[in-house]
Amino acid sequence: MMAGLVEFVYRLLNPIEEKNPRMYHYDVTYGQLTWMLVLTLICYQFTIVGESVYLDAIRALIRNSSLLVKWQMFSLPVGQHEIQVFFEYLSKPREFWNIGRFGWVILKAVLVSGIVIGYAILQKRKFYIRGVVTGVLHMMAFAQLVVAMITLTAGIMLILTTIPILLQAIIGFCMIVLCILSTVLLLQTMGRIAGACIDGSAYEGLSIMLLAILVALLCEVLYTLTR
């Protein structure tokens, strides 16, 4: 089991290598699947850290008195009530360990895996159920790190408004480049892994994964609106 953990940690840290996606052509053990699930839940915590930094920066920016004065100078459709609701949302503490959020991560993995497997069945492709689920978890873990980096960058950019503009530009440029490169790397990884899981091309794999993620996001939005 420890060998499986080391293998999948290596696979997460080196997702662009050609040999790693090809591993998803074959079946995986339950131990490897379990360790990848644990790794995905751990990576999910980084999204909470990124969102917390971003929301703290937004809260500090909006509470700036000069900004509120400028806000009142414009005839905007957003009134005092909407602003108060937004402040209440920002004031809510972010729970680092939340069973409900963990449950949604697992449910999303099942939903996305089901869409990928359904597509493979329709196309009469060779696939392994555990391999597909493990590949989806791999992509989710990597995606959560990229999302955390993007939100963390946005939060830091807001925090850095007090430093000289030249230093802001240098730091901002470097962080934005890292976000773009990591996003491109994520898309390449998603295509290769999903393509390997369903015995297809990288472009086909990326297309079906983006569609599956879009469906998962739509379900999440509908659930949020109906609560």
Side-chain angles (χ1 to χ4, degrees):
M1 186 171 287
M2 286 304 299
L5 174 61
V6 172
E7 175 188 349
F8 275 87
V9 169
Y10 174 79
R11 205 182 293 186
L12 178 68
L13 296 177
N14 300 274
I16 198 61
E17 291 187 6
E18 286 287 346
K19 64 180 182 179
N20 286 333
R22 291 176 185 166
M23 294 179 182
Y24 290 104
H25 280 300
Y26 311 102
D27 205 0
V28 299
T29 64
Y30 284 108
Q32 291 173 324
L33 174 60
T34 302
W35 278 118
M36 184 53 79
L37 174 60
V38 172
L39 197 59
T40 304
L41 295 178
I42 292 174
C43 289
Y44 178 73
Q45 302 310 305
F46 289 96
T47 63
I48 297 179
V49 174
E51 288 177 8
S52 298
V53 173
Y54 174 71
L55 289 177
D56 287 343
I58 288 289
R59 186 186 300 116
L61 183 66
I62 291 180
R63 286 178 176 171
N64 185 312
S65 58
S66 61
L67 182 64
L68 290 177
V69 170
K70 293 178 181 178
W71 182 283
Q72 295 172 358
M73 293 171 59
F74 298 96
S75 300
L76 298 176
V78 180
Q80 187 67 30
H81 174 70
E82 287 78 6
I83 297 176
Q84 185 63 33
V85 170
F86 185 62
F87 270 118
E88 291 176 359
Y89 170 73
L90 291 179
S91 300
K92 291 181 180 179
R94 295 286 293 169
E95 296 181 85
F96 196 73
W97 300 103
N98 187 300
I99 301 300
R101 293 183 183 274
F102 279 171
W104 168 242
V105 171
I106 296 173
L107 182 61
K108 183 162 58 175
V110 172
L111 176 61
V112 173
S113 300
I115 294 174
V116 174
I117 290 173
Y119 176 81
I121 293 174
L122 289 175
Q123 296 295 320
K124 299 181 180 179
R125 299 287 179 78
K126 177 184 176 182
F127 67 93
Y128 297 95
I129 294 178
R130 287 199 299 268
V132 171
V133 177
T134 306
V136 168
L137 290 172
H138 182 170
M139 289 178 276
M140 287 177 60
F142 191 24
Q144 286 159 184
L145 294 179
V146 174
V147 170
M149 180 183 296
I150 293 173
T151 53
L152 188 63
T153 297
I156 290 177
M157 290 299 296
L158 291 173
I159 294 173
L160 294 180
T161 53
T162 57
I163 67 174
I165 186 67
L166 180 61
L167 189 56
Q168 287 183 45
I170 295 174
I171 296 176
F173 175 78
C174 293
M175 297 191 73
I176 289 172
V177 168
L178 285 176
C179 289
I180 294 175
L181 292 177
S182 62
T183 302
V184 172
L185 177 61
L186 171 63
L187 295 176
Q188 293 177 342
T189 303
M190 288 171 58
R192 290 181 180 180
I193 293 178
C197 287
I198 60 175
D199 195 23
S201 66
Y203 176 78
E204 184 182 21
L206 178 60
S207 300
I208 189 62
M209 271 303 300
L210 291 178
L211 176 62
I213 291 173
L214 182 63
V215 172
L217 289 175
L218 180 61
C219 292
E220 185 174 9
V221 170
L222 291 176
Y223 173 75
T224 303
L225 294 176
T226 56
R227 289 182 62 182

